[in-house]
């Protein structure tokens, strides 16, 4: 009976997290429970007990350092490790007194919605901090929309970067304003900085932007491309999510997950793709059925 009570409580807590929204403290509007930024005003959203008076910047600890975050993204995992290895080499060269050309690092995560950009970015940040190669472990997180309100042009952005003294600057939703993205890239690369800037955006708008503005490609240190998630990897993600909730999966039913994925993808009412298909559609329905079973 106790185990059933524990399972029931787990299901209810998880269902609540999926269904209940979060209120933005800046504009008081409701957002999805898993939202990191307000879709109305762009401010960082925290759980109520973690919210601060600073609407733009969040310095919370990274939430994940799990290799499960890289399911289907092995090439990106390799690129991240190679970059951290390079930072370690650079640190040793500095100790030996070697003078290195310094440029601000600007990395763009580019992919469709639900391909893991935000999750991998947090894991990347965690790995960067643990590498002990940064001048500062301070992390600032902001949407492009929120940053624009206080830093509207390249000069303000450049000054913001100089004043923040952060080791890592994470900017999300950079695809929403082409004119500002140009200013953003100019400002971030206006003068050398020790800050590692990680920019997140949706693939198609960014592809179109760089096609029209090829000179801005030169301002980006590297592009990390996030592909669509295959059915095989969606199955792995679903199994991992279920295990994280606290359930043990019977080997005999694992093959049924493929059918669940196809059913969700073929549902004309389902608007979710990639990882969101698992998070917001399949998992939510599974938890609902389990909850009804008691």
């Amino acid at each position: 009976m106790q185990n059933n009570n524990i399972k029931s409580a787990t299901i209810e807590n998880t269902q609540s997290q999926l269904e209940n929204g979060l209120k933005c403290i800046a504009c008081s509007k409701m957002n999805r429970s898993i939202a990191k930024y307000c879709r109305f005003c762009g401010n960082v959203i925290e759980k109520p007990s973690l919210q601060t008076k600073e609407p733009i910047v969040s310095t919370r600890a990274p939430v994940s350092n799990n290799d499960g975050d890289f399911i289907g993204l092995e090439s990106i995992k390799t690129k991240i490790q190679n970059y951290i290895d390079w930072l370690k080499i650079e640190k040793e060269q500095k100790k030996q007194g070697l003078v290195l050309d310094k440029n601000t690092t600007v990395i763009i995560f580019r992919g469709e919605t639900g391909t893991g950009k935000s999750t991998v970015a947090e894991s990347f940040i965690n790995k960067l901090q643990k590498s002990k190669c940064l001048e500062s472990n301070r992390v600032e997180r902001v949407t492009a929309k929120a940053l624009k309100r206080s830093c509207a042009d390249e000069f303000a952005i450049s000054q913001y970067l100089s004043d923040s003294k952060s080791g890592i600057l994470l900017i999300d939703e950079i695809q929403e304003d082409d004119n500002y993205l140009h200013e953003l890239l100019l400002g971030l690369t206006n003068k050398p900085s020790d800050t590692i800037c990680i920019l997140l955006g949706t693939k198609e708008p960014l592809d179109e932007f760089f096609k029209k503005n090829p000179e801005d490609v030169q301002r980006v240190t590297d592009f990390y491309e996030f592909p669509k998630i295959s059915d095989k990897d969606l199955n792995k993600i679903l199994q991992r999510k279920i295990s994280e909730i606290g359930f043990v999966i019977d080997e005999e039913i694992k093959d049924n997950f493929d059918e669940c994925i196809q059913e969700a993808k073929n549902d004309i009412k389902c608007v979710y793709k990639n990882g969101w298909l698992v998070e917001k559609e399949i998992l939510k329905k599974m938890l609902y059925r389990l909850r009804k079973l008691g």
Side-chain angles (χ1 to χ4, degrees):
M1 178 65 75
Q2 185 177 4
N3 288 338
N4 288 337
N5 289 338
I6 293 173
K7 279 189 176 182
S8 178
T10 302
I11 293 168
E12 289 181 7
N13 289 338
T14 306
Q15 186 78 0
S16 176
Q17 291 172 5
L18 289 169
E19 292 178 351
N20 296 333
L22 293 176
K23 181 182 287 187
C24 174
I25 59 171
C27 69
S28 298
K29 293 184 178 179
M30 296 301 294
N31 291 263
R32 295 177 302 177
S33 60
I34 41 73
K36 287 184 169 67
Y37 306 96
C38 177
R39 65 191 180 94
F40 299 99
C41 69
N43 283 305
V44 174
I45 294 178
E46 300 281 4
K47 293 181 180 179
S49 61
L50 297 177
Q51 287 176 331
T52 68
K53 294 181 180 179
E54 297 295 332
I56 293 182
V57 177
S58 167
T59 55
R60 69 187 187 278
V63 296
S64 175
N65 190 30
N66 190 332
D67 280 348
D69 296 338
F70 294 91
I71 291 176
L73 301 171
E74 286 74 16
S75 61
I76 290 178
K77 179 181 177 181
T78 300
K79 288 189 73 168
I80 286 175
Q81 188 55 55
N82 288 343
Y83 178 67
I84 292 173
D85 290 342
W86 180 85
L87 286 179
K88 292 178 180 178
I89 293 171
E90 185 183 57
K91 183 178 181 181
E92 290 302 314
Q93 289 176 329
K94 286 181 179 179
K95 286 182 180 179
Q96 296 172 18
L98 297 177
V99 179
L100 305 173
D101 292 334
K102 185 64 181 176
N103 295 302
T104 303
T105 300
V106 177
I107 297 173
I108 289 184
F109 282 18
R110 180 167 58 180
E112 288 187 358
T113 301
T115 49
K117 298 184 296 297
S118 296
T119 303
V120 171
E122 293 295 344
S123 186
F124 189 11
I125 289 170
N126 198 321
K127 291 175 184 292
L128 284 169
Q129 290 178 316
K130 289 186 175 181
S131 73
K132 299 181 180 179
C133 293
L134 306 180
E135 294 295 326
S136 167
N137 265 342
R138 176 178 166 81
V139 180
E140 297 190 25
R141 296 170 176 82
V142 62
T143 63
K145 185 177 181 179
L147 184 60
K148 183 180 179 180
R149 288 199 298 272
S150 59
C151 304
D153 56 41
E154 64 169 294
F155 303 105
I157 294 164
S158 180
Q159 189 61 49
Y160 172 81
L161 192 63
S162 299
D163 292 345
S164 69
K165 306 299 181 185
S166 295
I168 305 168
L169 173 61
L170 176 66
I171 306 176
D172 201 357
E173 299 175 2
I174 62 169
Q175 78 285 346
E176 294 197 350
D177 186 330
D178 282 3
N179 292 331
Y180 188 65
L181 178 54
H182 175 68
E183 293 291 320
L184 179 61
L185 292 172
L186 284 172
L188 294 179
T189 57
N190 189 32
K191 55 185 176 181
S193 168
D194 290 320
T195 303
I196 296 171
C197 304
I198 305 172
L199 281 54
L200 280 58
T202 307
K203 179 175 175 55
E204 288 187 10
L206 289 182
D207 287 348
E208 189 65 25
F209 170 82
F210 286 111
K211 184 178 179 179
K212 294 179 180 177
N213 303 275
E215 71 282 1
D216 281 326
V217 176
Q218 312 305 316
R219 309 182 198 283
V220 180
T221 308
D222 203 354
F223 289 90
Y224 286 36
E225 304 289 349
F226 285 70
K228 295 179 182 178
I229 302 177
S230 69
D231 290 357
K232 180 180 178 181
D233 289 327
L234 285 174
N235 193 322
K236 292 179 182 178
I237 292 169
L238 179 56
Q239 291 184 43
R240 180 167 66 90
K241 291 286 184 182
I242 292 172
S243 296
E244 287 175 351
I245 294 171
F247 292 95
V248 177
I249 305 170
D250 193 315
E251 289 292 331
E252 294 181 0
I253 69 168
K254 286 185 178 180
D255 291 339
N256 294 338
F257 289 169
D258 290 331
E259 186 177 336
C260 290
I261 291 167
Q262 285 303 318
E263 181 182 336
K265 291 178 74 172
N266 294 330
D267 185 352
I268 59 174
K269 295 181 181 179
C270 179
V271 297
Y272 304 109
K273 298 180 180 179
N274 298 301
W276 289 131
L277 189 75
V278 169
E279 188 84 28
K280 299 292 287 182
E281 183 73 13
I282 301 172
L283 188 61
K284 186 175 180 180
K285 287 183 177 179
M286 284 185 173
L287 290 170
Y288 178 74
R289 286 195 292 266
L290 288 169
R291 192 175 185 182
K292 286 183 70 176
L293 291 173

